[in-house]
Each structure stands twice: as structure tokens, then as C-alpha cells.
């Protein structure tokens, strides 16, 4: 009986988390660091029925940042990003983020991360956490493909 209640609670939690992915209208990830060539900003956003991709990152061996704003992408590309967001439970990670206690220590060359989501109802959430290799790799792959198409 106790195990069954646990499984129901777990299923409810998973269902609750999964519901939150349906209304995503924008996903943005960012990394800022002293080594500018390692910094990036990737965003997909939905406007009407179309998805658009913006990025500022080094995507080839030139070590020069490529910046593109609102390049139209196929729905399947956006769905791949959203699939990773769902599998990695990134909305739940952002919602569950708790600000650490301030210890008055400041690091000047600290690498910072940011992930944010906007939803169709107008709400948004964000947290200073790393989005993970799967999502970043997918964004870099999409940027490489789109850069070659330009």
C-alpha cells in the first residue's frame, strides 16, 4: 500500500512536470565567461505558427562570434529542442532552483549560466543554471546547419 502511494505520487509529479512543457513559447540559454569564444546565447521563440532561432556564438574554427537574429526554422527543429527540455526536465530544474546564501565572495572571472522559458500564457521563468550538454549540443548543431544555409 505504501509503495503504491509512492508510485502514484511519483506519477503525479511526473505528469505535473510534463504538463508544463506544452505551452513553451521560447527557450533561451546563455553562458558568459572571460574567454569570450566560449560564451554563447541561443534562443528559439514561437511567433504565431512559426519558430525563429537567434544566436550569438562561435560555431566554426574561426573563433569569431556569429550573430543571427530571428532566423526561421522548421517546426521539427524546435520540437527537437523541446524534446530535450522535456527529457532533461529543465523546466522543473528552473522552477526548483533556490538561490544560494550570499557569502560575500565575489569572483571576477566567474563563468555564469542562464536558462529561461517563456510560456504562451505570458509567464516566464529563469535560473542561473547550466542547461546541460544535450541541449547546448542541439543548439550548436542547429546553429551550424543554419549558418551553412545563409
Amino acid at each position: 500500500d505504501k509503495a503504491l502511494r509512492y508510485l502514484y505520487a511519483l506519477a503525479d509529479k511526473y505528469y505535473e512536470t510534463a504538463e508544463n512543457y506544452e505551452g513553451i513559447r521560447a527557450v533561451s540559454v546563455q553562458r558568459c565567461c572571460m574567454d569570450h569564444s566560449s560564451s554563447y546565447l541561443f534562443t528559439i521563440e514561437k511567433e504565431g505558427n512559426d519558430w525563429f532561432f537567434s544566436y550569438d556564438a562561435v560555431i566554426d574554427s574561426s573563433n569569431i562570434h556569429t550573430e543571427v537574429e530571428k532566423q526561421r526554422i522548421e517546426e521539427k527543429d524546435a520540437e527537437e529542442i523541446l524534446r530535450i527540455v522535456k527529457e532533461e526536465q529543465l523546466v522543473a530544474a528552473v522552477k526548483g532552483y533556490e538561490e544560494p546564501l550570499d557569502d560575500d565572495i565575489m569572483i571576477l572571472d566567474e563563468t555564469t549560466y542562464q536558462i529561461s522559458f517563456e510560456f504562451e500564457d505570458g509567464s516566464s521563468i529563469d535560473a542561473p543554471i547550466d542547461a546541460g550538454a544535450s541541449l547546448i549540443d542541439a543548439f550548436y548543431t542547429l546553429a551550424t546547419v543554419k549558418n551553412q544555409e545563409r
Side-chain angles (χ1 to χ4, degrees):
D1 211 29
K2 186 176 180 181
L4 188 59
R5 280 195 308 265
Y6 172 76
L7 290 174
Y8 277 123
L10 190 60
D12 285 344
K13 184 177 179 182
Y14 179 79
Y15 180 73
E16 203 175 281
T17 301
E19 279 186 321
N20 295 331
Y21 297 96
E22 293 305 315
I24 292 177
R25 153 186 128 58
V27 177
S28 182
V29 297
Q30 180 177 4
R31 175 183 171 178
C32 296
C33 53
M34 292 293 285
D35 175 11
H36 188 64
S37 66
S38 297
S39 297
Y40 55 75
L41 172 61
F42 296 107
T43 303
I44 61 165
E45 59 187 317
K46 189 173 188 178
E47 292 183 6
N49 292 324
D50 297 322
W51 284 94
F52 295 91
F53 181 42
S54 302
Y55 59 94
D56 181 1
V58 173
I59 56 171
D60 57 26
S61 60
S62 70
N63 274 346
I64 297 172
H65 269 251
T66 301
E67 187 173 348
V68 173
E69 290 201 28
K70 293 197 174 186
Q71 185 175 20
R72 191 172 185 282
I73 60 172
E74 298 295 322
E75 188 167 348
K76 67 178 179 58
D77 296 322
E79 286 173 355
E80 175 63 10
I81 298 297
L82 296 174
R83 181 192 65 77
I84 295 168
V85 166
K86 183 175 182 174
E87 281 184 4
E88 301 289 325
Q89 297 186 354
L90 293 173
V91 170
V94 169
K95 284 184 173 183
Y97 175 77
E98 293 184 22
E99 193 75 35
L101 295 175
D102 186 8
D103 56 8
D104 292 327
I105 297 174
M106 183 176 279
I107 301 171
L108 296 178
D109 64 350
E110 176 182 21
T111 298
T112 60
Y113 297 91
Q114 185 77 17
I115 183 168
S116 61
F117 299 99
E118 291 179 23
F119 300 92
E120 290 174 354
D121 67 3
S123 65
S124 63
I125 56 173
D126 62 78
I129 59 176
D130 184 0
S134 296
L135 185 58
I136 301 310
D137 289 348
F139 272 124
Y140 268 109
T141 299
L142 183 57
T144 301
V145 168
K146 289 301 177 184
N147 192 52
Q148 292 171 354
E149 290 177 0
R150 293 179 345 146

